Amino acid sequence: MTPEPARTSAPARPLDAARALDVDALIDDPKTRIVVCCGSGGVGKTTTAAAIGLRAAERGRKVVVLTIDPARRLAQSMGIDRLDNVPRRVKDIDGDGDGELHAMMLDMKRTFDEIVEAHADKERAAAILTNPFYQSLSAGFAGTQEYMAMEKLGQLRSREEWDLIVVDTPPSRSALDFLDAPKRLGSFLDGKLIRLLMAPAKVGGRAGMKFLNVGMSMMTGALGKLLGGPLLRDVQTFVAAMDTMFGGFRTRADATYRLLQAPGTAFLVVASPERDALREAAYFVERLAADDMPLAGLVLNRVHGSGAAQLSAERALAAAENLEESGIVDQGDGKVADRNSPVNRATSEPGAAHAPTTDQPETDHSLTDPESDDPESADPSVEKLTVGLLRLHAERMQLLAREQRTRDRFTARHPEVAVAEVAALPGDVHDLAGLRAIGDRLAS
C-alpha cells in the first residue's frame, strides 16, 4: 500500500482582491453611521473597535466608541483614566481634519435611570428611582443589559453629535442577544405579566400573597429577597408609576432595531484564524443574515506571517536533520575544521591506511582564518543555533498553513463575506500608537 504523501506547507495565499474588505472605504463613507463589532471572546474585538474608531477620527470623522464589555483595555489604550456612561474625549488625535474621538462604557443601571428621568415627571421619577423593586429590576433583571445597550445606541444616534458610532459588543454568542431585546422586553412588559403583578392588590389577604409568590417565581433570585408584604406595596407602586412608560420602552427598542437594519449600519464579525473562533464567526454571519442585518465583512485578527515564506517547513526540517546527521552539531571537543581537513578525510575513507598523527605538521590557521586566535571560533554552538532556527521556522510555516486552511474553509462556506486580515503584532496593544498600527494593518 502506497503511503499517503505528507501534507506540504505552501506559503500563505493572499486573499482575492474581490473578496477583500476595504475598511477605509467603509469608514470614509458619510452614509456609514454605525459600525457594530461582534465576535467571540479573546479575538481582539475591543481592540478592533477602538482601532476603527481611532482611524475614522484621524480621517476626519466625529466618532464615539461604545463598549458593552466591562474590560478596562479600551480606556487604557486610549489614555483615559476610566470609562463610564458619559462619552469622554480622547486626546492626541492626529490628522488634518476636524475629527474627534470619544469613548464610553455602558452603565446599565444609569441608562435605565436616564430613561425614567427623561420620560416621567419629577415626582413620579423620584418614586420610581427609589422603589426597591425598580432597583432590583434595573440592576440585574435578565435581558436588561441588552435592552439598555439598545437604548444607549438609540440615544447616541438621536443626538447627532457624532457622525459615526462604533459599538463593541460583549463576548460570545450573547453579543447578538441585543437583537432580541425588544422581543424579550415585550414579553416582560406585556399585559399578562403586568396583570400578574397587579393581581395581589385585587385579591388581597393571604390568598393574594400566595398568588404573588407563584407569579414572582419567574423573577430573578435578587427579587426573591423582597418577598413579603413590603414587596407587594413596592410592586404596586412600581407598576402604577411605570404604567405610562411601558409602551415607550417597546417603541424605542423597535426603532433601534430598525436602525440596526438600516443601510447606514455595518456589522463587522471579528475572529482569529482558529477553528473555534471561525465556527463562532460562521454562526454570527448566519444569524445576521437571518435577521436581515447589514454585514460588512469579517475581520480576521492576529494572522501570522513570515519574512522567509519561500522556505517551506519540509525544506527547513530537512536542512535541520542534515546538519544533525552530518555530526556537525553533535561533534564534541575540537574544531569543526579538523574533521574536514584532508588528513581526516583520507584516513576516514574505507581501506585507507591510518597515517600516524604525531608526525603531521600542525596547520597554521592564522594564515587562513583571521579569527583563529580565538580557541572557541569553531564552537558548534552556531550550528546548534542554526538547527533551532530552522525548526522554529518550520513550526511557523506549519502554523501559517493551518491558519490558511481554516480561513479557506470559512471562505468556501461563506464566499459572499468580504475579509480583512490583520497581521499579528509582536506585543500587546496598550496605547494609541498600538491602535494606529492595528488600523494600518486593518486597512492594508
Side-chain angles (χ1 to χ4, degrees):
M1 182 175 179
T2 304
E4 183 180 353
R7 177 178 289 172
T8 59
S9 56
R13 296 188 303 271
L15 284 168
D16 185 350
R19 304 175 70 174
L21 173 63
D22 191 341
V23 174
D24 281 347
L26 176 68
I27 61 178
D28 288 346
D29 187 353
K31 296 180 181 178
T32 303
R33 303 299 302 274
I34 298 173
V35 173
V36 181
C37 296
C38 52
S40 57
V43 297
K45 182 170 49 61
T46 299
T47 303
T48 299
I52 289 174
L54 176 61
R55 188 171 183 85
E58 294 186 338
R59 294 173 71 89
R61 304 292 298 270
K62 293 186 177 180
V63 187
V64 59
V65 178
L66 166 64
T67 180
I68 304 173
D69 184 2
R72 303 297 174 185
R73 296 185 306 274
L74 184 62
Q76 294 170 354
S77 63
M78 292 185 171
I80 300 176
D81 294 335
R82 63 188 178 91
L83 290 179
D84 51 25
N85 216 44
V86 178
R88 299 184 179 277
R89 185 164 183 174
V90 179
K91 300 178 181 179
D92 300 325
I93 299 299
D94 295 337
D96 299 330
D98 297 327
E100 297 179 5
L101 178 61
H102 295 74
M104 63 180 298
M105 184 175 68
L106 177 71
D107 184 329
M108 179 177 63
K109 187 179 186 310
R110 182 56 200 152
T111 300
F112 209 152
D113 293 348
E114 291 172 354
I115 297 171
V116 172
E117 292 168 351
H119 296 89
D121 58 64
K122 186 175 182 180
E123 182 178 351
R124 180 171 295 185
I128 295 172
L129 296 177
T130 58
N131 185 282
F133 184 88
Y134 166 79
Q135 292 174 358
S136 296
L137 172 69
S138 60
F141 192 79
T144 305
Q145 182 188 44
E146 290 78 14
Y147 176 79
M148 290 305 138
M150 296 276 283
E151 279 278 356
K152 180 56 67 176
L153 176 58
Q155 290 176 10
L156 294 173
R157 182 66 180 84
S158 64
R159 288 169 62 176
E160 296 292 340
E161 185 175 347
W162 302 278
D163 55 29
L164 179 62
I165 304 169
V166 181
V167 182
D168 168 39
T169 58
S172 76
R173 295 190 177 190
S174 64
L176 290 179
D177 284 350
F178 67 88
L179 298 178
D180 298 325
K183 184 186 301 182
R184 286 187 285 111
L185 184 74
S187 67
F188 170 68
L189 298 179
D190 64 12
K192 292 181 180 179
L193 188 51
I194 297 302
R195 286 194 297 270
L196 174 65
L197 296 176
M198 290 296 294
K202 298 180 180 179
V203 177
R206 294 183 178 179
M209 290 307 303
K210 181 178 180 181
F211 184 71
L212 175 63
N213 287 337
V214 173
M216 296 309 294
S217 64
M218 298 184 296
M219 301 299 176
T220 61
L223 297 181
K225 300 178 181 179
L226 302 175
L227 285 174
L231 173 61
L232 176 59
R233 291 189 296 272
D234 293 337
V235 171
Q236 289 175 310
T237 303
F238 169 77
V239 173
M242 293 284 290
D243 183 49
T244 58
M245 297 180 59
F246 288 149
F249 277 95
R250 180 179 294 178
T251 299
R252 290 190 302 276
D254 289 341
T256 305
Y257 189 86
R258 291 191 297 271
L259 182 64
L260 291 174
Q261 292 177 316
T265 300
F267 281 82
L268 289 176
V269 177
V270 184
S272 58
E274 301 172 359
R275 183 178 60 182
D276 292 342
L278 280 173
R279 184 183 296 119
E280 284 291 290
Y283 164 80
F284 282 110
V285 168
E286 293 163 4
R287 172 66 196 279
L288 291 170
D291 288 356
D292 294 325
M293 297 293 172
L295 174 64
L298 170 74
V299 174
L300 200 57
N301 212 1
R302 300 170 184 163
V303 177
H304 294 89
S306 173
Q310 69 275 13
L311 178 60
S312 67
E314 291 74 20
R315 291 178 57 195
L317 287 174
E321 292 171 359
N322 288 338
L323 283 174
E324 291 177 325
E325 291 174 359
S326 66
I328 293 178
V329 177
D330 296 330
Q331 179 179 337
D333 295 337
K335 298 183 178 180
V336 177
D338 290 341
R339 190 193 63 234
N340 295 323
S341 66
V343 173
N344 284 342
R345 285 202 302 267
T347 57
S348 64
E349 293 178 357
H354 292 269
T357 59
T358 56
D359 297 331
Q360 295 296 329
E362 183 177 355
T363 303
D364 186 3
H365 292 288
S366 63
L367 299 178
T368 58
D369 185 359
E371 298 181 5
S372 61
D373 292 337
D374 183 4
E376 299 297 326
S377 61
D379 190 275
S381 60
V382 175
E383 286 77 10
K384 289 182 178 180
L385 178 61
T386 302
V387 170
L389 291 175
L390 286 169
R391 292 192 178 279
L392 183 62
H393 176 76
E395 292 178 2
R396 170 56 65 95
M397 293 305 297
Q398 290 167 348
L399 173 63
L400 266 61
R402 185 165 60 251
E403 290 183 351
Q404 178 182 303
R405 291 193 299 270
T406 305
R407 182 200 72 184
D408 289 347
R409 281 195 294 268
F410 176 88
T411 54
R413 183 177 178 181
H414 297 285
E416 77 286 357
V417 178
V419 181
E421 292 190 350
V422 182
L425 288 176
D428 294 333
V429 175
H430 53 80
D431 54 18
L432 290 179
L435 291 178
R436 289 190 186 97
I438 292 291
D440 292 341
R441 285 164 165 76
L442 186 61
S444 61

